[in-house]
Amino acid sequence: MLEVIVAIFILSSLIVYALMGGADFGGGIWKPAGVRANARRQREAIADAIAPIWEANHVWLILVIVLLFTGFPRGFATMMTALNIR
């Protein structure tokens, strides 16, 4: 039962990461759109708007890694061994 709870938290964290990542992707699409005289001010406004979400969004991935390590150590070891770059 505990594994199911940890898996639900992992899935929820990944969903929140994906949803909050939309702000970052949207900012990346709008950034080149500023081509007028005030393009620099527009780009700075976009960067200021997404900065809090962009910085905090990586915390969700860290949470997923920690939950995976604590809840499923064998799966974590297998994945990290497979992802090892020599």
Side-chain angles (χ1 to χ4, degrees), residues 64-80:
V64 167
I65 291 170
V66 169
L67 287 173
L68 186 62
F69 177 72
T70 57
F72 305 100
R74 293 171 88 194
F76 180 81
T78 303
M79 287 188 341
M80 293 303 121

Side-chain angles (χ1 to χ4, degrees), residues 32-75:
V35 292
R36 297 188 200 107
N38 58 355
R40 182 177 177 195
R41 196 178 79 218
Q42 289 174 351
R43 289 183 180 138
E44 289 174 357
I46 291 168
D48 291 341
I50 67 168
I53 293 175
W54 184 55
E55 292 296 329
N57 201 23
H58 301 300
V59 174
W60 295 108
L61 286 181
I62 295 167
L63 178 65
V64 167
I65 291 170
V66 169
L67 287 173
L68 186 62
F69 177 72
T70 57
F72 305 100
R74 293 171 88 194

Side-chain angles (χ1 to χ4, degrees), residues 2 6 31 76:
L2 185 60
V6 173
K31 199 166 190 175
F76 180 81

Side-chain angles (χ1 to χ4, degrees), residues 3-49:
E3 300 88 14
V4 174
I5 294 171
V6 173
I8 289 171
F9 275 112
I10 290 173
L11 182 62
S12 301
S13 299
L14 286 173
I15 289 171
V16 171
Y17 172 75
L19 291 176
M20 290 180 70
D24 186 18
F25 301 139
I29 290 171
W30 280 105
K31 199 166 190 175
V35 292
R36 297 188 200 107
N38 58 355
R40 182 177 177 195
R41 196 178 79 218
Q42 289 174 351
R43 289 183 180 138
E44 289 174 357
I46 291 168
D48 291 341

